[in-house]
Each structure stands twice: as C-alpha cells, then as structure tokens.
Amino acid sequence: MKPKTFCYFLHEAFCGIFRNSLISLAAIGIISIALVLFGLFYIFTVNIQHLGTLAWDKIEVRVFLKQDVSNTEKIKKQLTQIPGVRDVKFIPKKDGAAALERLLGSKNLFTDDDNPLPDCFHLSPAEKANIDEITRLASAISGVEEIVYGQKFVNFLKVLIRLVLVMGLVLMIFSALAVLYMVVNTIQLTVYARRNEIEIMKLVGATNSFIRWPFLLEGIFLGVGGAFLAVLLLTKGYGFLLGKLRRLNVYIPLLRCTEVNQPLIISLFAMGIFFGGSGSLFSLRRYLKD
Amino acid sequence: MILAKDLTKIYSNGVVALDKLSLSVEKGEFVFLVGPSGAGKSTFLSLIIRRELPTSGFLTVNRQPVALLKKNEIAFLRRSIGVIFQDYKLLPNKTVYENISFALEVIETSSREIKQRVYSVLELVGLLNKARVFPSELSGGEQQRVCLARALVNRPLLLLADEPTGNLDPETSWEIMDLLREVNKRGTTILMATHNKIIVDKLRKRVLALENGKLVRDTIRGGYTLET
C-alpha cells in the first residue's frame, strides 16, 4: 500500500467520524459502557484471586514428630525436598510450650523434663500446591507422628478460588460478547449512513479491501475512544474506592492501583481495537457481497 | 464491446426481467435502449456492471465474460465502464472536485494525475468554476454534469447512462446530450437507457427496444417507436 493511499484512508476515517459525529459519539459511549462492564468483572476477579492467594499464604501444615526423635535435621531435609513446600521451619518442643504458655497466659506450665509436647515442623506450601500430596509424602517420613492443617478451610478456599475464577471468566466472556454485539450494532449505523458512498465506490471500481480500510480504521478509532473513556472511568473509580476504604479505616487487602491498572489498560485498549475493527468489518460484509 | 447471447435474468420473486436476450454493441457506437418501465433496461445495465448475475445465458463486455469474473476482477471491469444515473448519486458531503477525484483515489492514481484529470473533465463538462462547490449548491443539470465528469475521469471504454435526462428540463437535457455526443465522438461507446422520445427521435442513433425482457426491435438510425 502506498503511503498516500494510507493517508487517504486515515483522512476518510476521520472524516467519517466527524461527518457522522452524533453516531460516532453514540458508538464511543456504547463501547465504553460495554468495556466498563468488562473491566468491572476483571477488577472483581483479580481482587478475589488476590485475596485467595493471601489466604493461601497463611496456611501452615504442622508436622508433629514422635517423642524422642533425634534426627530432626534429616527430617527437615526430607520435608524440604517435598514438591510444593515453600518453607520449612523447626519448632522444638521448648518453643511449642512457650507458645502455648503465651496463648494461655500462664507461666512455667511445663518444665523441660515433663514437657509432653512433641517437636514440630511448620511447612508453608507454595501457591497452588497440592496439600493432600504434601501431607501424604510427609506422613511417610520416618519419625513423623501426626500432620495437622486446616483441611476444611483449605478445601473451602480451593473451591472458592476455582468458583470465582470460573465465574469471572464466564462473566468476562459474556461481557466481551456483549461488547462485540453492541459494537457491531452501533457501527452498523455508521455503515448504513454511508451505504451510498460504498455503492459509488464499488461502481467506480474500488476493490473491497480499498472500501474496507477507512471503515476498519474508523472502527478502530471508535474502539480506542471507547477504551479511553472506560479506562478513565475504571482507573479513577478504583482509585477513589481504595481512597475511600483507607479514609474509613476499613482494611481490605485489595490490589493497589498500579497492580490493576497496567493489565486493565492494556486489555481494554486491545479489546477496543479488536472489537472496533472486527465490528466494522462484520458490519460491512453485506455491502461487499458482490 | 457488448455481446449478449440468450441472456436471462429471473429475480428471486419469480419476475422475469430478461428473457433470452441476444444483442451486440460495437466499439464506438451510440445506442439508445428504449422500452416501457419494467422492460428490463436497468436490469441489462446492472448485468453489464456485474451488480447482478444472469440466471442463464452469456454476456461479455470488452471480451470479458462478466458472470465468470472472480470477485477481485469485478472492480477492474468497473474501472473500464462509466455509469451515470437519473438521480446522479453524488456524495453530498464532498465538493464537486472531491466527488470526481474520488473515482481516481479508489484506483490509487497519483495526486498530480488526479488534479490534471479532474480539471480536464471539469473543463469538458463546463464546470471549472464550480470545483469547490457542494452538490446541493448546483442545479440538476450541473449535478448530472458532475456525475458525467465522474464517469469519464477514468477514461472508460464504455459509458452506461440510465435515464440521464429523466430529472432534467428539455433545455438542460440537450446540454447533457450534447456532452454525451461529444464523448462518443472521442471514441467512448455509449449505451443509454431512456424514455425521452424527443431525444431519441431527433438524434437518430441505433435503437434497441425491449419489451418484457425481450428484444423486439433493433434499428440503425431509429426512432423511439417503429412509426417514428
């Protein structure tokens, strides 16, 4: 394509937007609403995932040893080698007793000789690690008496994270389809308003690709405009929400603006460009049949 | 230039627009296509520029079998044919210059050549002083001249005119006819569908008369009807 031709396409795309300014504004508005919807689901999903990850980090698997086990270094080494174990911390029976005393508010609960508590290891599982597998492998180590972890909580958390992820994905797919539907319908209006132009272009011998280009660029510009508005609304809105929570002294460990904004901006602009462009091409189809 | 053999067009609603039409038009001819409304004149023009496909039969334009053209070849066929319409089909938001240059922009002609060719056809149709004017500021005759200029700017071998004087007063109609005759003298083949009896009778060109999709008369230097 000659640079002059591309400049002509750009000029025609901008003229198309400004000549049909009301329809173009409506298209930008509708695209931005649809993208805001998508962005809200995105922000909700990534935050729930984040909260799930934070909760997962709090999970500890406690491995209690049999009384009078002396080879704790060897056991620690074996525990460290279990796949999915991020960190292993040894809690000797003496420290266990001290912790219990702190918890109960008593002093000198046990002496060194009559301390009934066993030595213990605290394992921190890595993100998404299979805790059942970790406990199975840990219980097979010689010297291990019992393994305790919040099994019910872990299972609940697993189901919750999966559920939110699936729901978020489904909602994002639906909102993406809604974006496409709205974009196609709105751009169809702009294409319809210019059907005579398309007909004349065909009659004077324009190829279909030549006709498509200005409309494709116009769709992309409308998509970018819609994405820009949506990004503005969502980033300002999310910043406002975090600020409000901070002022009210409500501590919910939500993702910071900088963590949310970058992927959000990239995905909204990518969606705006993709849906604006493809919506435009889709709307043109019936006018370019012959 | 145009060769039709047993050309038939039946629309999806069952209307037979053309019924085994056979005719030929030679290069450089000026031919009137006459007949009552619904006779098949506009359908025939639509088949020539591949806006429609024939149901059966054979049609070639400049030796190209129109129905067999691939999608990307249709645009090239249309570049060799100029078309003018009763309702002009000008773009209201483009100036006269832009309406004409548009036909060259779509075939990626250089800016210098566009300027040269547009002013040349504007001179031919007598609208040099209206280049920067919008169609709504022009009279019907001037709009038709712009339409003609747009059709000619590609230097077509064939010019199709579908009722070009249908919306014009007699005086303006003759201005357009004078231009068409001038274009024909320069070598462009002209096929003009018309209901204008006075023009057909006065110019005495070849007349093809259609009725119910059939060719009922082919007269060299004919009139609008057999009697005239």
Side-chain angles (χ1 to χ4, degrees):
Chain A
M1 187 194 299
K2 294 176 186 171
K4 174 189 167 277
T5 310
F6 190 71
C7 291
Y8 175 78
F9 291 151
L10 276 177
H11 175 259
E12 286 300 303
F14 278 117
C15 284
I17 290 173
F18 289 111
R19 274 181 201 142
N20 305 295
S21 48
L22 272 182
I23 297 178
S24 303
L25 276 178
I28 289 175
I30 288 173
I31 292 171
S32 67
I33 290 170
L35 288 177
V36 164
L37 194 71
F38 174 86
L40 284 176
F41 290 136
Y42 174 80
I43 290 172
F44 174 76
T45 308
V46 291
N47 268 300
I48 293 290
Q49 262 188 296
H50 172 65
L51 292 176
T53 311
L54 287 182
W56 192 267
D57 285 345
K58 302 276 179 218
I59 292 171
E60 259 185 357
V61 177
R62 291 175 185 210
V63 179
F64 294 103
L65 304 184
K66 289 178 180 158
Q67 292 289 356
D68 306 324
V69 170
S70 55
N71 56 344
T72 53
E73 272 311 309
K74 189 182 165 200
I75 294 174
K76 184 175 182 179
K77 202 174 169 191
Q78 284 174 304
L79 287 170
T80 311
Q81 284 167 346
I82 294 175
V85 171
R86 183 163 48 95
D87 189 36
V88 178
K89 202 166 137 193
F90 179 60
I91 314 287
K93 57 192 327 186
K94 189 174 72 181
D95 290 3
L100 189 62
E101 283 170 355
R102 271 199 305 280
L103 189 70
L104 298 175
S106 322
K107 276 187 178 173
N108 303 324
L109 210 54
F110 308 115
T111 60
D112 282 349
D113 295 331
D114 67 354
N115 183 355
L117 299 177
D119 287 331
C120 166
F121 283 100
H122 285 188
L123 308 186
S124 299
E127 201 180 332
K128 291 177 188 168
N130 185 343
I131 294 187
D132 290 338
E133 184 64 8
I134 291 174
T135 53
R136 191 183 66 76
L137 291 172
S139 58
I141 295 171
S142 141
V144 170
E145 172 78 34
E146 191 187 4
I147 296 176
V148 174
Y149 68 100
Q151 196 163 8
K152 276 187 183 167
F153 175 72
V154 167
N155 288 338
F156 171 74
L157 198 62
K158 268 188 196 168
V159 171
L160 185 73
I161 290 174
R162 199 168 296 159
L163 194 72
V164 168
L165 195 69
V166 170
M167 262 176 57
L169 272 176
V170 168
L171 288 174
M172 278 196 282
I173 289 169
F174 270 110
S175 57
L177 289 175
V179 175
L180 185 64
Y181 180 76
M182 288 181 190
V183 168
V184 167
N185 274 288
T186 318
I187 291 179
Q188 242 164 15
L189 288 177
T190 71
V191 172
Y192 183 78
R194 293 169 66 188
R195 65 196 181 286
N196 286 339
E197 201 174 323
I198 296 170
E199 193 194 348
I200 295 166
M201 284 173 97
K202 283 164 71 178
L203 285 177
V204 296
T207 56
N208 282 352
S209 68
F210 189 94
I211 298 172
R212 273 189 207 109
W213 268 101
F215 285 97
L216 174 70
L217 292 175
E218 194 176 322
I220 288 174
F221 293 148
L222 293 178
V224 167
F228 180 76
L229 262 184
V231 162
L232 208 67
L233 281 170
L234 286 168
T235 51
K236 293 283 170 199
Y238 189 62
F240 176 78
L241 173 76
L242 293 186
K244 190 88 184 164
L245 288 175
R246 216 171 18 246
R247 277 193 298 280
L248 292 172
N249 288 324
V250 178
Y251 180 71
I252 305 175
L254 296 179
L255 286 166
R256 283 171 296 161
C257 280
T258 46
E259 291 170 302
V260 171
N261 285 355
Q262 198 187 2
L264 183 71
I265 291 170
I266 291 171
S267 53
L268 288 188
F269 273 103
M271 278 182 79
I273 289 169
F274 175 75
F275 289 132
S278 57
S280 220
L281 294 183
F282 189 79
S283 308
L284 264 181
R285 271 188 332 160
R286 77 165 132 153
Y287 295 99
L288 299 180
K289 269 184 189 160
D290 53 3
Chain B
M1 177 58 69
I2 301 171
L3 177 66
K5 181 92 177 122
D6 293 331
L7 197 63
T8 300
K9 175 66 187 177
I10 304 169
Y11 285 107
S12 53
N13 59 3
V15 171
V16 181
L18 290 178
D19 188 4
K20 294 196 171 174
L21 179 75
S22 295
L23 58 83
S24 70
V25 174
E26 298 305 318
K27 201 174 169 189
E29 271 193 295
F30 192 127
V31 180
F32 285 118
L33 196 59
V34 302
S37 297
K41 306 186 294 291
S42 297
T43 299
F44 184 50
L45 299 186
S46 293
L47 290 175
I48 291 173
I49 53 171
R50 247 305 283 271
R51 270 170 110 182
E52 300 281 352
L53 274 168
T55 308
S56 65
F58 188 69
L59 173 70
T60 63
V61 174
N62 202 21
R63 294 183 186 158
Q64 295 179 84
V66 177
L68 301 179
L69 291 178
K70 290 177 194 154
K71 245 183 175 176
N72 57 347
E73 292 171 332
I74 299 171
F76 293 93
L77 166 81
R78 288 174 179 162
R79 289 175 195 184
S80 66
I81 303 173
V83 191
I84 58 175
F85 308 90
Q86 182 175 357
D87 58 355
Y88 324 127
K89 291 198 193 298
L90 298 176
L91 296 170
N93 42 30
K94 287 187 190 282
T95 63
V96 166
Y97 182 94
E98 288 167 344
N99 260 287
I100 300 167
S101 64
F102 182 66
L104 294 172
E105 295 279 7
V106 303
I107 56 169
E108 302 187 54
T109 313
S110 71
S111 304
R112 216 178 66 179
E113 198 170 350
I114 288 177
K115 199 170 171 186
Q116 188 192 329
R117 283 219 234 164
V118 173
Y119 281 114
S120 164
V121 284
L122 277 173
E123 191 178 7
L124 176 72
V125 299
L127 287 175
L128 261 180
N129 57 336
K130 305 270 178 159
R132 300 291 159 201
V133 163
F134 285 93
S136 58
E137 300 166 60
L138 298 173
S139 68
E142 287 171 330
Q143 290 191 50
Q144 190 57 286
R145 282 196 259 167
V146 178
C147 183
L148 179 58
R150 184 183 62 198
L152 294 176
V153 79
N154 262 339
R155 298 174 180 158
L157 301 167
L158 171 66
L159 182 72
L160 304 179
D162 193 2
E163 306 270 7
T165 60
N167 283 342
L168 305 176
D169 59 57
E171 196 183 330
T172 317
S173 297
W174 280 112
E175 285 173 18
I176 296 298
M177 289 315 300
D178 287 343
L179 278 172
L180 288 178
R181 285 163 73 191
E182 175 61 30
V183 169
N184 179 236
K185 268 189 204 158
R186 294 179 181 202
T188 304
T189 310
I190 295 182
L191 180 60
M192 173 172 155
T194 184
H195 285 297
N196 194 320
K197 185 174 184 307
I198 299 167
I199 286 174
V200 177
D201 287 345
K202 190 156 181 194
L203 288 183
R204 290 289 157 185
K205 300 284 186 187
R206 182 180 170 198
V207 175
L208 299 170
L210 295 185
E211 249 180 59
N212 297 323
K214 288 189 162 82
L215 182 68
V216 292
R217 184 161 56 93
D218 181 353
T219 326
I220 308 292
R221 297 197 181 85
Y224 191 81
T225 55
L226 194 57
E227 294 76 37
T228 54

